[in-house]
Amino acid sequence: HFPRHLKWQNNNVTFRILNYTPDLKKSDVDRAIRSALNVWSDVTPLTFKKLHKGNADIMISFGSKEHGDYNPFDGPNGLLAHAYPPGQGIGGDTHFDEDEHWTKDSSAYNLFVVAAHELGHALGMSHSTDVGALMYPIYSYTTGYPLSEDDIEGIQALYGPNPNSKKVKPRPDAPNKCDPTLSFDAATELRGETIIFKDRFYWRLHPQMPEPEQTLIKSTWPSIPNRVDAAYENPEKDRVIIFSGIRMWALNGYDLVDGYPKYIHKLGLPKTIRKIDAAVYIRDTGKTLLFTDEDYWSYDEATGTMDKGYPRSIEDDFPGMDDEVDAAVYHYGYLYFFHEHMQYEYSYNSRKVIRIMRTNSILNC
Amino acid sequence: LPVPSGDKDNRLLAEKYLRRFYGFPAGLQGKQQASGVFETKIKEMQKFFKLEVTGNLDDNTLELMKLARCGVPDIGEYN
């Protein structure tokens, strides 16, 4: 919240759109602003009435550089928009930088996403430190329901819940890396870094970065689903393969490779396999192991075929691993299996688990 | 040694960012005081974005400063 928890004293708030960006049809701008207001009215008693003349609580306009409030914009990119906390005069007013390109999709800055964030300010919300919250200050294109639990908690602390509340499915807050019960969805190397996927986010570990960096998957790869099941790197081909459901994507560095997604069955998996739990490339053998439930498969990267005689039992071939695997990485002859909140260091040579640690010890917790 | 121009640009970008979003005081102050305040504000920004809190203008911090974002300050005085 802003200092003194600034808010509108009256739940019936008025708004007016003073001018329009030429980037979108007038009706598209109207719809984006209305949808953005509905995001907040769905979870509070607030109602928004549109005025076509005179002074409204929230005056909405598009302007570039110095646009009348001595708080100039900066041309393309950088600052996208700003808004003022509830109050008289300029209070609640919301300004969009006309030097940006405004769109209805992810091809440039999505007006709905930015408007929903700015109108949060106009209603009394300040910035959130939760990277998955709508009120996080950095732009990222997201689809689906925009509010996180953090956002809803914040706005309802000011105005209370919507008495006729619609069932909304808020986004869970960003996972806390030092939560002792933390489990991983997937893990892979990527050109010397380690990428760990959890929920809608991924952590990026770099040898020179003691602090893992948490980012929304979609802010880096908008076309990849919000949830990753497994991932592995084949350093010889400089490719990272990401699995989600029955589809897979390939990355070259951080760039998506054309021609994906493809079906995982192209690897030679039977149609009955609908999800891969974990995947890891074993540099010494040139094989990629794919774990599904209690079994695993061996894919020969050189021939592009699945080895014969699979699936085999994880428990039989990896003594000490008698449960499913969430994620796996391979370092210098050691396989690290992650399952729920524990990780198992498995020695390939001595064919046994030689150490057990907490899953998030890899995140310096 | 004279500061290489790239570093100087980054420093100016950082000062402008901190002035806009973290209340870094405008105008020149004593050299020592300026660097102390600069480091303090960098730490505030790193803490907010859950970066490693070093007080230094490292690559990650600079990279984040260049991302598209909202113009409302993150903390401090709301103008």
Side-chain angles (χ1 to χ4, degrees):
Chain A
H1 298 140
F2 290 105
R4 299 187 312 284
H5 302 288
L6 293 171
K7 60 173 277 190
W8 296 105
Q9 301 312 312
N10 177 340
N11 283 346
N12 305 316
V13 179
T14 58
F15 73 99
R16 179 180 165 195
I17 302 175
L18 293 169
N19 62 0
Y20 287 79
T21 172
D23 302 345
L24 290 165
K25 286 188 291 181
K26 185 172 176 295
S27 58
D28 288 334
V29 173
D30 288 337
R31 189 174 306 111
I33 298 294
R34 173 55 72 179
S35 303
L37 289 165
N38 287 350
V39 163
W40 298 106
S41 58
D42 282 351
V43 293
T44 62
L46 292 170
T47 63
F48 298 104
K49 185 167 182 300
K50 187 172 187 178
L51 302 185
H52 294 279
K53 59 183 187 328
N55 194 36
D57 298 320
I58 300 176
M59 303 285 266
I60 296 168
S61 61
F62 291 82
S64 50
K65 301 293 179 34
E66 174 46 48
H67 51 275
D69 61 357
Y70 305 104
N71 197 358
F73 287 133
D74 57 351
N77 303 311
L79 301 178
L80 302 183
H82 56 220
Y84 293 86
Q88 293 308 306
I90 200 171
D93 289 4
T94 299
H95 304 161
F96 297 93
D97 186 347
E98 182 50 62
D99 286 331
E100 312 301 345
H101 186 56
W102 297 103
T103 65
K104 292 192 298 185
D105 52 34
S106 65
S107 59
Y109 295 113
N110 183 281
L111 181 60
F112 163 71
V113 171
V114 177
H117 173 98
E118 296 305 331
L119 290 165
H121 289 312
L123 297 176
M125 298 282 278
S126 72
H127 281 151
S128 167
T129 61
D130 182 334
V131 74
L134 175 63
M135 294 314 294
Y136 188 69
I138 303 283
Y139 174 84
S140 81
Y141 176 69
T142 52
T143 55
Y145 187 67
L147 294 185
S148 73
E149 289 166 1
D150 183 63
D151 300 309
I152 293 177
E153 190 183 325
I155 197 72
Q156 289 184 346
L158 288 175
Y159 299 100
N162 179 330
N164 320 299
S165 67
K166 284 184 187 161
K167 267 281 154 261
V168 296
K169 197 167 168 297
R171 298 161 168 218
D173 291 341
N176 174 358
K177 67 182 175 67
C178 291
D179 172 357
T181 63
L182 182 70
S183 64
F184 293 162
D185 295 337
T188 179
E189 304 305 310
L190 191 157
R191 293 181 179 172
E193 300 180 1
T194 300
I195 306 289
I196 293 179
F197 294 93
K198 177 65 178 177
D199 298 341
R200 300 179 290 139
F201 304 87
Y202 69 92
W203 281 289
R204 181 180 160 224
L205 285 81
H206 189 285
Q208 273 106 32
M209 279 193 329
E211 264 313 297
E213 190 182 274
Q214 189 178 43
T215 310
L216 273 166
I217 293 173
K218 278 209 179 278
S219 69
T220 305
W221 304 293
S223 60
I224 284 184
N226 266 325
R227 188 176 180 84
V228 169
D229 299 325
Y232 76 92
E233 179 185 45
N234 179 339
E236 274 72 26
K237 294 178 183 171
D238 193 17
R239 285 279 183 280
V240 167
I241 304 297
I242 290 181
F243 299 96
S244 181
I246 58 171
R247 293 180 299 164
M248 61 184 185
W249 289 258
L251 298 180
N252 175 243
Y254 276 89
D255 298 325
L256 280 169
V257 172
D258 290 343
Y260 286 85
K262 293 177 180 174
Y263 287 109
I264 60 175
H265 311 107
K266 272 196 173 309
L267 299 171
L269 291 167
K271 288 286 191 311
T272 51
I273 299 294
R274 310 305 293 173
K275 174 179 179 289
I276 294 175
D277 297 330
V280 60
Y281 174 71
I282 308 295
R283 179 184 288 260
D284 308 328
T285 61
K287 310 280 187 184
T288 296
L289 307 184
L290 302 168
F291 298 87
T292 58
D293 299 326
E294 290 80 27
D295 297 325
Y296 78 103
W297 307 74
S298 175
Y299 177 77
D300 188 318
E301 290 284 347
T303 60
T305 58
M306 200 67 79
D307 288 336
K308 301 247 180 313
Y310 288 86
R312 296 175 56 81
S313 158
I314 296 174
E315 192 173 1
D316 290 346
D317 288 0
F318 297 94
M321 289 306 299
D322 53 5
D323 214 334
E324 294 174 8
V325 177
D326 298 333
V329 288
Y330 179 72
H331 288 298
Y332 310 113
Y334 292 92
L335 250 183
Y336 293 87
F337 288 113
F338 296 87
H339 177 62
E340 291 176 350
H341 58 287
M342 300 310 283
Q343 68 171 296
Y344 303 81
E345 185 177 65
Y346 178 86
S347 164
Y348 235 78
N349 299 332
S350 53
R351 290 181 46 72
K352 63 180 179 180
V353 173
I354 58 173
R355 209 168 39 141
I356 296 178
M357 298 163 281
R358 279 210 178 270
T359 287
N360 56 6
S361 60
I362 195 174
L363 295 171
N364 305 325
C365 294
Chain B
L1 290 176
V3 175
S5 71
D7 283 355
K8 196 157 168 244
D9 291 345
N10 290 336
R11 170 74 188 216
L12 289 175
L13 179 148
E15 284 186 3
K16 187 177 174 189
Y17 189 96
L18 295 171
R19 196 169 298 118
R20 174 172 286 269
F21 301 113
Y22 290 83
F24 182 66
L28 285 176
Q29 303 157 13
K31 268 259 169 296
Q32 190 52 40
Q33 194 177 356
S35 67
V37 174
F38 183 77
E39 192 179 329
T40 303
K41 290 300 179 186
I42 285 273
K43 282 182 178 176
E44 281 182 19
M45 180 239 176
Q46 287 167 338
K47 185 162 176 274
F48 182 92
F49 283 105
K50 295 180 178 130
L51 296 171
E52 188 200 358
V53 179
T54 62
N56 299 325
L57 192 57
D58 54 58
D59 285 351
N60 277 336
T61 304
L62 195 57
E63 186 185 337
L64 200 135
M65 285 179 171
K66 292 175 179 174
L67 292 178
R69 59 160 290 158
C70 166
V72 173
D74 295 333
I75 56 174
E77 301 86 75
Y78 298 104
N79 53 15

